[in-house]
PDB file of all heavy atoms in Angstrom:
ATOM      1  N   LEU A  98      15.685  19.911 -13.087  1.00 98.00           N
ATOM      2  CA  LEU A  98      15.906  19.494 -14.474  1.00 98.00           C
ATOM      3  C   LEU A  98      15.575  17.999 -14.617  1.00 98.00           C
ATOM      4  O   LEU A  98      14.927  17.604 -15.636  1.00 98.00           O
ATOM      5  CB  LEU A  98      17.327  19.816 -14.881  1.00 98.00           C
ATOM      6  CG  LEU A  98      17.747  19.351 -16.286  1.00 98.00           C
ATOM      7  CD1 LEU A  98      16.891  20.029 -17.362  1.00 98.00           C
ATOM      8  CD2 LEU A  98      19.232  19.612 -16.510  1.00 98.00           C
ATOM      9  N   SER A  99      15.999  17.195 -13.689  1.00 98.00           N
ATOM     10  CA  SER A  99      15.742  15.753 -13.778  1.00 98.00           C
ATOM     11  C   SER A  99      14.244  15.477 -13.680  1.00 98.00           C
ATOM     12  O   SER A  99      13.752  14.562 -14.306  1.00 98.00           O
ATOM     13  CB  SER A  99      16.453  15.040 -12.639  1.00 98.00           C
ATOM     14  OG  SER A  99      17.884  15.194 -12.751  1.00 98.00           O
ATOM     15  N   TRP A 100      13.523  16.290 -12.893  1.00 98.00           N
ATOM     16  CA  TRP A 100      12.063  16.138 -12.821  1.00 98.00           C
ATOM     17  C   TRP A 100      11.402  16.470 -14.140  1.00 98.00           C
ATOM     18  O   TRP A 100      10.542  15.725 -14.602  1.00 98.00           O
ATOM     19  CB  TRP A 100      11.583  17.110 -11.721  1.00 98.00           C
ATOM     20  CG  TRP A 100      10.066  17.257 -11.649  1.00 98.00           C
ATOM     21  CD1 TRP A 100       9.169  16.333 -11.285  1.00 98.00           C
ATOM     22  CD2 TRP A 100       9.312  18.466 -11.939  1.00 98.00           C
ATOM     23  NE1 TRP A 100       7.887  16.835 -11.337  1.00 98.00           N
ATOM     24  CE2 TRP A 100       7.977  18.154 -11.704  1.00 98.00           C
ATOM     25  CE3 TRP A 100       9.684  19.754 -12.357  1.00 98.00           C
ATOM     26  CZ2 TRP A 100       6.952  19.107 -11.892  1.00 98.00           C
ATOM     27  CZ3 TRP A 100       8.670  20.705 -12.485  1.00 98.00           C
ATOM     28  CH2 TRP A 100       7.365  20.391 -12.278  1.00 98.00           C
ATOM     29  N   HIS A 101      11.881  17.501 -14.810  1.00 97.00           N
ATOM     30  CA  HIS A 101      11.350  17.823 -16.121  1.00 97.00           C
ATOM     31  C   HIS A 101      11.635  16.700 -17.127  1.00 97.00           C
ATOM     32  O   HIS A 101      10.811  16.418 -18.033  1.00 97.00           O
ATOM     33  CB  HIS A 101      11.974  19.121 -16.648  1.00 97.00           C
ATOM     34  CG  HIS A 101      11.300  20.343 -16.160  1.00 97.00           C
ATOM     35  ND1 HIS A 101      10.020  20.711 -16.576  1.00 97.00           N
ATOM     36  CD2 HIS A 101      11.710  21.336 -15.313  1.00 97.00           C
ATOM     37  CE1 HIS A 101       9.674  21.839 -15.998  1.00 97.00           C
ATOM     38  NE2 HIS A 101      10.669  22.248 -15.223  1.00 97.00           N
ATOM     39  N   MET A 102      12.767  16.033 -16.971  1.00 97.00           N
ATOM     40  CA  MET A 102      13.144  14.957 -17.891  1.00 97.00           C
ATOM     41  C   MET A 102      12.555  13.610 -17.498  1.00 97.00           C
ATOM     42  O   MET A 102      12.751  12.616 -18.185  1.00 97.00           O
ATOM     43  CB  MET A 102      14.677  14.865 -17.982  1.00 97.00           C
ATOM     44  CG  MET A 102      15.302  16.062 -18.668  1.00 97.00           C
ATOM     45  SD  MET A 102      17.082  15.857 -18.872  1.00 97.00           S
ATOM     46  CE  MET A 102      17.470  17.317 -19.813  1.00 97.00           C
ATOM     47  N   LYS A 103      11.872  13.614 -16.326  1.00 97.00           N
ATOM     48  CA  LYS A 103      11.300  12.352 -15.827  1.00 97.00           C
ATOM     49  C   LYS A 103      12.350  11.266 -15.716  1.00 97.00           C
ATOM     50  O   LYS A 103      12.156  10.091 -16.010  1.00 97.00           O
ATOM     51  CB  LYS A 103      10.137  11.851 -16.713  1.00 97.00           C
ATOM     52  CG  LYS A 103       8.990  12.838 -16.855  1.00 97.00           C
ATOM     53  CD  LYS A 103       7.869  12.270 -17.752  1.00 97.00           C
ATOM     54  CE  LYS A 103       6.633  13.186 -17.739  1.00 97.00           C
ATOM     55  NZ  LYS A 103       6.890  14.538 -18.254  1.00 97.00           N
ATOM     56  N   ALA A 104      13.501  11.686 -15.209  1.00 98.00           N
ATOM     57  CA  ALA A 104      14.648  10.765 -15.028  1.00 98.00           C
ATOM     58  C   ALA A 104      14.312   9.721 -13.964  1.00 98.00           C
ATOM     59  O   ALA A 104      13.812  10.070 -12.898  1.00 98.00           O
ATOM     60  CB  ALA A 104      15.911  11.537 -14.696  1.00 98.00           C
ATOM     61  N   ALA A 105      14.646   8.454 -14.260  1.00 96.00           N
ATOM     62  CA  ALA A 105      14.345   7.392 -13.310  1.00 96.00           C
ATOM     63  C   ALA A 105      15.372   7.294 -12.165  1.00 96.00           C
ATOM     64  O   ALA A 105      15.021   6.861 -11.075  1.00 96.00           O
ATOM     65  CB  ALA A 105      14.279   6.025 -14.029  1.00 96.00           C
ATOM     66  N   THR A 106      16.580   7.720 -12.448  1.00 96.00           N
ATOM     67  CA  THR A 106      17.669   7.502 -11.478  1.00 96.00           C
ATOM     68  C   THR A 106      18.586   8.721 -11.414  1.00 96.00           C
ATOM     69  O   THR A 106      18.892   9.324 -12.413  1.00 96.00           O
ATOM     70  CB  THR A 106      18.513   6.280 -11.902  1.00 96.00           C
ATOM     71  OG1 THR A 106      17.650   5.135 -12.042  1.00 96.00           O
ATOM     72  CG2 THR A 106      19.571   5.942 -10.856  1.00 96.00           C
ATOM     73  N   MET A 107      19.038   9.015 -10.180  1.00 96.00           N
ATOM     74  CA  MET A 107      19.969  10.101  -9.973  1.00 96.00           C
ATOM     75  C   MET A 107      21.267   9.855 -10.739  1.00 96.00           C
ATOM     76  O   MET A 107      21.736   8.713 -10.862  1.00 96.00           O
ATOM     77  CB  MET A 107      20.266  10.220  -8.473  1.00 96.00           C
ATOM     78  CG  MET A 107      21.159  11.410  -8.080  1.00 96.00           C
ATOM     79  SD  MET A 107      21.711  11.292  -6.344  1.00 96.00           S
ATOM     80  CE  MET A 107      20.186  11.282  -5.463  1.00 96.00           C
ATOM     81  N   CYS A 108      21.840  10.931 -11.271  1.00 95.00           N
ATOM     82  CA  CYS A 108      23.112  10.867 -11.979  1.00 95.00           C
ATOM     83  C   CYS A 108      23.055  10.069 -13.291  1.00 95.00           C
ATOM     84  O   CYS A 108      24.105   9.557 -13.755  1.00 95.00           O
ATOM     85  CB  CYS A 108      24.257  10.364 -11.085  1.00 95.00           C
ATOM     86  SG  CYS A 108      24.517  11.411  -9.673  1.00 95.00           S
ATOM     87  N   GLU A 109      21.867   9.909 -13.834  1.00 97.00           N
ATOM     88  CA  GLU A 109      21.739   9.223 -15.109  1.00 97.00           C
ATOM     89  C   GLU A 109      20.634   9.882 -15.948  1.00 97.00           C
ATOM     90  O   GLU A 109      19.588  10.268 -15.398  1.00 97.00           O
ATOM     91  CB  GLU A 109      21.319   7.741 -14.927  1.00 97.00           C
ATOM     92  CG  GLU A 109      22.367   6.849 -14.338  1.00 97.00           C
ATOM     93  CD  GLU A 109      21.895   5.399 -14.289  1.00 97.00           C
ATOM     94  OE1 GLU A 109      20.808   5.089 -14.820  1.00 97.00           O
ATOM     95  OE2 GLU A 109      22.612   4.604 -13.678  1.00 97.00           O
ATOM     96  N   PHE A 110      20.850   9.995 -17.243  1.00 98.00           N
ATOM     97  CA  PHE A 110      19.792  10.349 -18.183  1.00 98.00           C
ATOM     98  C   PHE A 110      19.849   9.349 -19.337  1.00 98.00           C
ATOM     99  O   PHE A 110      20.886   9.174 -19.973  1.00 98.00           O
ATOM    100  CB  PHE A 110      19.997  11.737 -18.793  1.00 98.00           C
ATOM    101  CG  PHE A 110      19.807  12.877 -17.761  1.00 98.00           C
ATOM    102  CD1 PHE A 110      20.728  13.909 -17.702  1.00 98.00           C
ATOM    103  CD2 PHE A 110      18.699  12.923 -16.959  1.00 98.00           C
ATOM    104  CE1 PHE A 110      20.571  14.955 -16.820  1.00 98.00           C
ATOM    105  CE2 PHE A 110      18.509  13.966 -16.071  1.00 98.00           C
ATOM    106  CZ  PHE A 110      19.454  14.997 -16.003  1.00 98.00           C
ATOM    107  N   SER A 111      18.725   8.669 -19.544  1.00 98.00           N
ATOM    108  CA  SER A 111      18.646   7.835 -20.746  1.00 98.00           C
ATOM    109  C   SER A 111      18.512   8.763 -21.957  1.00 98.00           C
ATOM    110  O   SER A 111      18.207   9.958 -21.829  1.00 98.00           O
ATOM    111  CB  SER A 111      17.480   6.877 -20.682  1.00 98.00           C
ATOM    112  OG  SER A 111      16.259   7.587 -20.822  1.00 98.00           O
ATOM    113  N   LYS A 112      18.714   8.237 -23.124  1.00 98.00           N
ATOM    114  CA  LYS A 112      18.566   9.033 -24.349  1.00 98.00           C
ATOM    115  C   LYS A 112      17.118   9.533 -24.455  1.00 98.00           C
ATOM    116  O   LYS A 112      16.888  10.724 -24.793  1.00 98.00           O
ATOM    117  CB  LYS A 112      18.922   8.191 -25.584  1.00 98.00           C
ATOM    118  CG  LYS A 112      18.879   8.989 -26.893  1.00 98.00           C
ATOM    119  CD  LYS A 112      19.407   8.143 -28.044  1.00 98.00           C
ATOM    120  CE  LYS A 112      19.415   8.984 -29.328  1.00 98.00           C
ATOM    121  NZ  LYS A 112      19.973   8.175 -30.477  1.00 98.00           N
ATOM    122  N   GLU A 113      16.180   8.691 -24.171  1.00 97.00           N
ATOM    123  CA  GLU A 113      14.779   9.078 -24.222  1.00 97.00           C
ATOM    124  C   GLU A 113      14.452  10.179 -23.217  1.00 97.00           C
ATOM    125  O   GLU A 113      13.753  11.152 -23.555  1.00 97.00           O
ATOM    126  CB  GLU A 113      13.874   7.869 -23.982  1.00 97.00           C
ATOM    127  CG  GLU A 113      12.394   8.148 -24.009  1.00 97.00           C
ATOM    128  CD  GLU A 113      11.532   6.946 -23.730  1.00 97.00           C
ATOM    129  OE1 GLU A 113      12.106   5.858 -23.460  1.00 97.00           O
ATOM    130  OE2 GLU A 113      10.305   7.079 -23.786  1.00 97.00           O
ATOM    131  N   GLU A 114      14.996  10.051 -21.982  1.00 98.00           N
ATOM    132  CA  GLU A 114      14.701  11.052 -20.963  1.00 98.00           C
ATOM    133  C   GLU A 114      15.311  12.409 -21.332  1.00 98.00           C
ATOM    134  O   GLU A 114      14.646  13.449 -21.268  1.00 98.00           O
ATOM    135  CB  GLU A 114      15.297  10.598 -19.620  1.00 98.00           C
ATOM    136  CG  GLU A 114      14.595   9.435 -19.001  1.00 98.00           C
ATOM    137  CD  GLU A 114      15.387   8.797 -17.875  1.00 98.00           C
ATOM    138  OE1 GLU A 114      16.561   9.137 -17.668  1.00 98.00           O
ATOM    139  OE2 GLU A 114      14.790   7.931 -17.155  1.00 98.00           O
ATOM    140  N   PHE A 115      16.560  12.415 -21.789  1.00 98.00           N
ATOM    141  CA  PHE A 115      17.232  13.665 -22.107  1.00 98.00           C
ATOM    142  C   PHE A 115      16.626  14.364 -23.313  1.00 98.00           C
ATOM    143  O   PHE A 115      16.250  15.546 -23.239  1.00 98.00           O
ATOM    144  CB  PHE A 115      18.725  13.404 -22.364  1.00 98.00           C
ATOM    145  CG  PHE A 115      19.545  14.653 -22.527  1.00 98.00           C
ATOM    146  CD1 PHE A 115      20.089  15.307 -21.420  1.00 98.00           C
ATOM    147  CD2 PHE A 115      19.809  15.153 -23.798  1.00 98.00           C
ATOM    148  CE1 PHE A 115      20.866  16.451 -21.579  1.00 98.00           C
ATOM    149  CE2 PHE A 115      20.586  16.286 -23.948  1.00 98.00           C
ATOM    150  CZ  PHE A 115      21.102  16.946 -22.822  1.00 98.00           C
ATOM    151  N   ILE A 116      16.473  13.617 -24.386  1.00 97.00           N
ATOM    152  CA  ILE A 116      15.935  14.222 -25.602  1.00 97.00           C
ATOM    153  C   ILE A 116      14.439  14.588 -25.456  1.00 97.00           C
ATOM    154  O   ILE A 116      13.999  15.695 -25.791  1.00 97.00           O
ATOM    155  CB  ILE A 116      16.122  13.297 -26.814  1.00 97.00           C
ATOM    156  CG1 ILE A 116      17.631  13.211 -27.128  1.00 97.00           C
ATOM    157  CG2 ILE A 116      15.365  13.801 -28.039  1.00 97.00           C
ATOM    158  CD1 ILE A 116      17.980  12.266 -28.279  1.00 97.00           C
ATOM    159  N   GLY A 117      13.681  13.682 -24.864  1.00 96.00           N
ATOM    160  CA  GLY A 117      12.260  13.955 -24.642  1.00 96.00           C
ATOM    161  C   GLY A 117      12.030  15.088 -23.700  1.00 96.00           C
ATOM    162  O   GLY A 117      11.157  15.930 -23.930  1.00 96.00           O
ATOM    163  N   GLY A 118      12.863  15.190 -22.644  1.00 96.00           N
ATOM    164  CA  GLY A 118      12.720  16.320 -21.721  1.00 96.00           C
ATOM    165  C   GLY A 118      13.027  17.629 -22.314  1.00 96.00           C
ATOM    166  O   GLY A 118      12.269  18.624 -22.115  1.00 96.00           O
ATOM    167  N   LEU A 119      14.098  17.730 -23.076  1.00 96.00           N
ATOM    168  CA  LEU A 119      14.434  19.018 -23.690  1.00 96.00           C
ATOM    169  C   LEU A 119      13.432  19.383 -24.768  1.00 96.00           C
ATOM    170  O   LEU A 119      13.086  20.579 -24.904  1.00 96.00           O
ATOM    171  CB  LEU A 119      15.855  18.921 -24.297  1.00 96.00           C
ATOM    172  CG  LEU A 119      17.015  18.884 -23.327  1.00 96.00           C
ATOM    173  CD1 LEU A 119      18.326  19.034 -24.056  1.00 96.00           C
ATOM    174  CD2 LEU A 119      16.900  19.955 -22.226  1.00 96.00           C
TER     175      LEU A 119
END
Side-chain angles (χ1 to χ4, degrees):
L98 177 60
S99 297
W100 170 67
H101 276 291
M102 292 184 175
K103 299 180 174 62
T106 305
M107 186 191 300
C108 299
E109 291 184 7
F110 291 132
S111 70
K112 184 174 183 178
E113 180 181 3
E114 290 167 350
F115 187 85
I116 292 179
L119 289 189

